[in-house]
Amino acid sequence: MPLSVGVDFGTTKCAVARVNRRTGRPEILDLEGSDDGIVPTVILYEDGSADPLVGVRAERSNLAKAIESVKPLLGCDLATTEGENAEKARRLFTERGIAVHQIATDIFRFLLRATSEELGEPPTSAIITVPAYATPAARRATREAAEQAGWPVSYLIAEPVSAGIAYFRTTNDIDASRPHRMVVYDIGGGTFDFAALYYKPNKSEGPMEFRVYAKYGDSSLGGNRLDELIFLNAMKPHLEDLLKEAKARSESDYLDYWKLALRAAREAKHLLSEAEEAPLRFATGRHEKIWTLPPVKRSQFHQWIEPQVAATMERVDMELARIGWRSEDITAVILVGGGNRVPYIRDRIERRFGKGKVFAASRLDLMVALGSAVVADQQWAPNVIEVLARTLSVRVPGKANECRPLLKRGLALEDAKRTLTCYWQSDNASSISLDFCLGESSRWGDNEFLGRAALTSSEPLKRGTPIQLSIRMLGDGDSIEATARLQESGRPLDVTLERQTGDASLSTGSVALDHRPSVDIALLIDTSGSMHHRRRPLLPEIAAVGEEMASTIAEAGIDAWYAVVSYGDSTNGSCAQCLPFAPGGDVLGKRLRGLPLFLGGPEKEPSFRALRESLPALSTARVESSKWLLLITDAPARDWDEEIAQWLQTNGFRSVIIAPQQSAYDLSFDKLAVTTDGKYFDLSSELQRAFSWVAEKITGRQSP
């Protein structure tokens, strides 16, 4: 029988969990070197010892010389990477002679040995957790360290996603029989992580589903940063002379004192979760003088951390605005991570979302591990639909520091694929290359290099030869797969993917990208009973005029992508089904002729609600494209929604409304069209005219 586990490899703590087959609930394994199931992410290399000490034993043996918080250093290229984490990695290697990757591997090796001893046999598969915004290099380094230690890694999962899943399997606080839009707010030891999830319950024999709509993380806003604020404000002024003396002796002594002081600050932080005041005591060793410092008041601590908490709330608001979620749309806010024990943080979140929506487990620091165990277990694993956390871009050939977006963040990984056209720029050349990066900037240097695709032809090609290059994100979203062929003959080219440094000086070969104008068109179509059970069935007519519009746009040489949303009465908590943006009129035709039908009801169709549900899909429209929304219904709108209109305006969508006018002129639809520089057409007499008008505006050509 498969033996699957989940592993939370944290900045300050680790834990391993598995699902109890009898109860169906995940449980934390009580490993050697743990304290109530938690293994401190601390390792000590002792002189003359073959194996390092890990966890509680390392802490108790010689904390000053032990190595902590290695996780944020994974994936740092010591030669080229800048920033605090890279500097720590360089210093660690210089002073201790130990590479970060080796430290992580040794910790993973200890966890595997302890897990195998606890279970009586080695696990057959494992899910490893990573921060929501971990870089591709960090994700690869984490996987490689675990695999080199012997772990059979299935895949990686974002920590806040794992924690959200755990909440539905370990508590009864949230009604799991109905759908939920939920936010996971995770302040762990090293990072602040956030995820927006849509939970759909199991209504038959299938698994429950979690769809990720947004995720974000920041390594500068974790629990360690809160410890530093206590040290800087309450401890450093009193220890200035001691720290200067230590630094004069050696950098190593200074760093050891700094580490011990941060540990004292962390203990005070934990006490302030329960008390109004916490003592501060600091010692440089077991038998050294104990420095008793003025106590820290909770009110002081809250004042120091207020800017950090405000920054996390601002980031959450930005992500929710991007996908169009309002506070009233969110039914659950799940708190995980030890940092959420701080009363001020919970109070701010409750004031932001409403006290009744905020939930926290009794063991905030175990939820990530418990969720990864659920995902790892074949019998209980939910269906998790992950998204691309960063935008995939290609470097513009000939412009070392400019890149062009290809796949926008928020796109479901299963839909993260695209075909682009490029052109050979040199006569008699047989090889070209393109560089890819992940990030939100149009400047190449601000993003993270992902890889290079080298395209090779078996024979030299002429200048201007068009090439079709197809890109698809793989697995965890940290690598790509690429294929290429000659556009005219279909002959395939060899494609080699390379990982190397992304210096601006790297040559991208002699190639030009396709610079055709682009447009993204979303069709929001009412498919309730009245749209197909009527004297004049509208859905076949919509398919016909939609294909005609797509053909006109394609003939004009415009690169068009289409999304289709069908809606009606709610089913399983949702009133809309979204098919994401995909290229080509043939795709549009197939989608329009295979629209899922919703049952009709006595109420007006929920056009604005369906539009709000489709905003996450609309948010994945290409940055460089002009954007259109076509809303088609035979019923008036229920309500006006100012926020939706503002979202469409902000994101550059023009709205074309095709709805009744003669007997049921709808002011809400008219206002939406006017607000977004669109137009309102009458469904009964102007259906074809509406699609023709859109084609004219996009192509600049007048219909005959």
Side-chain angles (χ1 to χ4, degrees):
M1 179 180 293
L3 188 57
S4 304
V5 299
V7 182
D8 175 16
F9 180 68
T11 301
T12 58
K13 300 172 183 177
C14 299
V16 180
R18 66 169 297 191
V19 171
N20 184 313
R21 289 301 177 89
R22 183 174 55 83
T23 65
R25 289 182 176 264
E27 299 174 344
I28 297 294
L29 300 182
D30 189 13
L31 304 182
E32 173 201 349
S34 71
D35 180 8
D36 196 20
I38 291 178
V39 179
T41 314
V42 180
I43 186 168
L44 176 64
Y45 293 90
E46 293 184 309
D47 294 337
S49 176
D51 297 320
L53 299 179
V54 177
V56 173
R57 292 177 62 196
E59 278 190 320
R60 294 173 179 172
S61 178
N62 190 345
L63 180 60
K65 297 299 180 183
I67 299 171
E68 298 181 274
S69 301
V70 70
K71 177 181 173 180
L73 309 180
L74 282 169
C76 291
D77 186 328
L78 299 188
T80 62
T81 305
E82 298 180 355
E84 182 182 356
N85 286 341
E87 181 57 35
K88 287 181 180 178
R90 281 190 284 269
R91 191 166 59 221
L92 184 62
F93 184 76
T94 301
E95 295 178 358
R96 304 284 186 94
I98 308 170
V100 169
H101 185 83
Q102 182 60 50
I103 297 170
T105 300
D106 287 340
I107 295 174
F108 271 119
R109 186 175 291 115
F110 170 84
L111 293 173
L112 177 59
R113 179 176 60 79
T115 299
S116 301
E117 290 176 356
E118 178 68 17
L119 296 175
E121 59 180 307
T124 57
S125 66
I127 302 293
I128 310 291
T129 66
V130 291
Y133 218 54
T135 65
R139 294 173 69 93
R140 288 194 297 267
T142 301
R143 176 187 278 272
E144 290 168 1
E147 290 177 339
Q148 287 183 18
W151 281 98
V153 181
S154 297
Y155 67 93
L156 311 180
I157 187 170
E159 289 163 4
V161 176
S162 178
I165 293 169
Y167 214 88
F168 281 83
R169 297 297 305 171
T170 59
T171 75
N172 297 316
D173 296 344
I174 302 175
D175 181 4
S177 66
R178 67 183 186 90
H180 290 278
R181 284 183 177 82
M182 60 184 185
V183 166
V184 181
Y185 193 98
D186 178 5
I187 298 184
T191 59
F192 158 67
D193 278 345
F194 154 84
L197 310 175
Y198 180 75
Y199 162 74
K200 186 166 71 174
N202 173 12
K203 291 294 185 180
S204 58
E205 295 301 319
M208 56 184 176
E209 179 178 289
F210 291 87
R211 178 177 288 271
V212 184
Y213 279 127
K215 57 184 180 181
Y216 177 79
D218 192 328
S219 60
S220 67
L221 298 175
N224 284 351
R225 178 56 181 159
L226 305 185
D227 303 339
E228 289 179 8
L229 290 172
I230 293 178
F231 168 75
L232 293 173
N233 288 280
M235 300 181 70
K236 189 176 181 182
H238 302 283
L239 300 175
E240 200 76 53
D241 292 340
L242 180 68
L243 293 172
K244 285 181 180 178
E245 292 173 6
K247 193 157 192 173
R249 290 194 302 272
S250 70
E251 184 71 18
S252 178
D253 279 359
Y254 173 76
L255 293 175
D256 290 344
Y257 283 14
W258 170 275
K259 184 188 303 181
L260 292 170
L262 286 179
R263 180 57 64 101
R266 185 177 306 160
E267 292 173 357
K269 178 186 70 177
H270 292 164
L271 291 173
L272 288 172
S273 297
E274 304 293 337
E276 292 295 329
E277 187 176 278
L280 271 177
R281 298 184 180 91
F282 171 73
T284 58
R286 288 185 179 179
H287 305 294
E288 301 294 329
K289 174 185 175 182
I290 297 177
W291 298 69
T292 301
L293 308 179
V296 180
K297 296 183 183 297
R298 180 186 283 181
S299 58
Q300 292 176 305
F301 178 50
H302 290 177
Q303 183 179 357
W304 298 334
I305 68 174
E306 194 280 331
Q308 307 298 317
V309 177
T312 66
M313 298 301 296
E314 181 180 359
R315 190 68 228 193
V316 168
D317 288 343
M318 289 174 60
E319 290 299 308
L320 293 178
R322 182 179 65 82
I323 61 174
W325 281 17
R326 303 168 298 179
S327 293
E328 53 264 42
D329 299 323
I330 296 166
T331 55
V333 180
I334 297 174
L335 305 185
V336 294
N340 279 309
R341 290 194 181 96
V342 177
Y344 177 72
I345 295 177
R346 176 157 185 163
D347 179 65
R348 282 291 301 268
I349 296 171
E350 288 178 345
R351 281 188 280 137
R352 169 67 177 80
F353 294 101
K355 187 173 183 179
K357 294 181 180 180
V358 179
F359 302 91
S362 58
R363 291 299 303 272
L364 294 168
D365 45 2
L366 297 179
M367 300 304 286
V368 171
L370 293 170
S372 64
V374 175
V375 177
D377 191 87
Q378 294 183 2
Q379 180 178 349
W380 299 98
N383 182 25
V384 182
I385 303 173
E386 268 281 14
V387 295
L388 190 62
R390 287 178 169 87
T391 296
L392 174 71
S393 298
V394 59
R395 178 151 53 181
V396 176
K399 297 184 179 180
N401 204 32
E402 183 179 333
C403 53
R404 172 178 164 184
L406 296 178
L407 298 171
K408 196 172 179 183
R409 68 185 175 121
L411 189 66
L413 282 178
E414 60 189 11
D415 300 317
K417 49 193 173 184
R418 181 170 178 181
T419 297
L420 64 149
T421 303
C422 51
Y423 298 90
W424 226 261
Q425 287 296 93
S426 299
D427 285 322
N428 300 319
S430 59
S431 181
I432 61 173
S433 62
L434 288 169
D435 291 340
F436 298 90
C437 66
L438 291 174
E440 308 314 312
S441 175
S442 60
R443 289 170 50 85
W444 172 266
D446 295 338
N447 300 321
E448 176 160 1
F449 179 76
L450 179 63
R452 164 177 287 188
L455 283 59
T456 304
S457 172
S458 57
E459 57 187 42
L461 298 176
K462 295 181 179 180
R463 181 184 181 88
T465 301
I467 308 296
Q468 281 199 338
L469 178 65
S470 297
I471 300 294
R472 182 169 71 94
M473 298 301 296
L474 290 180
D476 306 320
D478 55 8
S479 60
I480 58 174
E481 177 184 78
T483 59
R485 63 182 179 87
L486 300 182
Q487 184 168 289
E488 295 177 355
S489 67
R491 178 167 64 84
L493 302 178
D494 290 332
V495 179
T496 303
L497 293 171
E498 306 168 355
R499 291 175 183 163
Q500 51 184 295
T501 57
D503 294 339
S505 59
L506 283 175
S507 170
T508 53
S510 188
V511 60
L513 298 178
D514 180 11
H515 287 288
R516 290 182 299 161
S518 59
V519 62
D520 288 346
I521 303 173
L523 290 86
L524 187 72
I525 304 172
D526 171 7
T527 59
S528 61
S530 59
M531 288 287 285
H532 51 92
H533 293 149
R534 55 188 295 156
R535 183 177 301 175
R536 174 193 168 195
L538 288 173
L539 296 184
E541 192 173 340
I542 291 170
V545 295
E547 288 178 311
E548 184 178 342
M549 175 191 70
S551 177
T552 301
I553 293 172
E555 289 173 0
I558 295 172
D559 179 21
W561 287 43
Y562 301 92
V564 176
V565 180
S566 57
Y567 72 96
D569 282 1
S570 62
T571 301
N572 199 18
S574 175
C575 70
Q577 294 188 29
C578 304
L579 297 173
F581 286 106
D586 55 339
V587 170
L588 175 63
K590 290 178 182 178
R591 289 178 170 183
L592 292 178
R593 296 189 184 282
L595 287 171
L597 305 180
F598 284 78
L599 296 176
E603 298 180 334
K604 293 182 290 185
E605 278 71 2
S607 299
F608 277 94
R609 179 184 167 191
L611 184 51
R612 180 168 290 282
E613 287 191 17
S614 67
L615 293 186
L618 300 188
S619 71
T620 63
R622 294 171 293 175
V623 176
E624 74 274 18
S625 300
S626 60
K627 302 170 184 66
W628 290 78
L629 169 71
L630 279 64
L631 192 159
I632 309 164
T633 180
D634 64 349
R638 288 184 180 178
D639 300 295
W640 166 250
D641 193 322
E642 181 69 31
E643 290 184 357
I644 286 180
Q646 291 179 355
W647 189 96
L648 292 171
Q649 270 190 306
T650 301
N651 288 273
F653 277 88
R654 297 180 69 177
S655 302
V656 174
I657 311 300
I658 309 171
Q661 282 191 3
Q662 295 176 349
S663 60
Y665 191 85
D666 195 291
L667 293 177
S668 294
F669 283 150
D670 184 66
K671 188 175 181 180
L672 181 62
V674 171
T675 301
T676 59
D677 193 25
K679 197 167 183 178
Y680 183 6
F681 290 90
D682 181 34
L683 177 68
S684 61
S685 60
E686 296 182 302
L687 178 62
Q688 184 169 5
R689 173 63 190 138
F691 278 80
S692 298
W693 183 83
V694 172
E696 290 171 10
K697 291 296 181 181
I698 292 172
T699 63
R701 299 178 180 178
Q702 195 74 22
S703 298

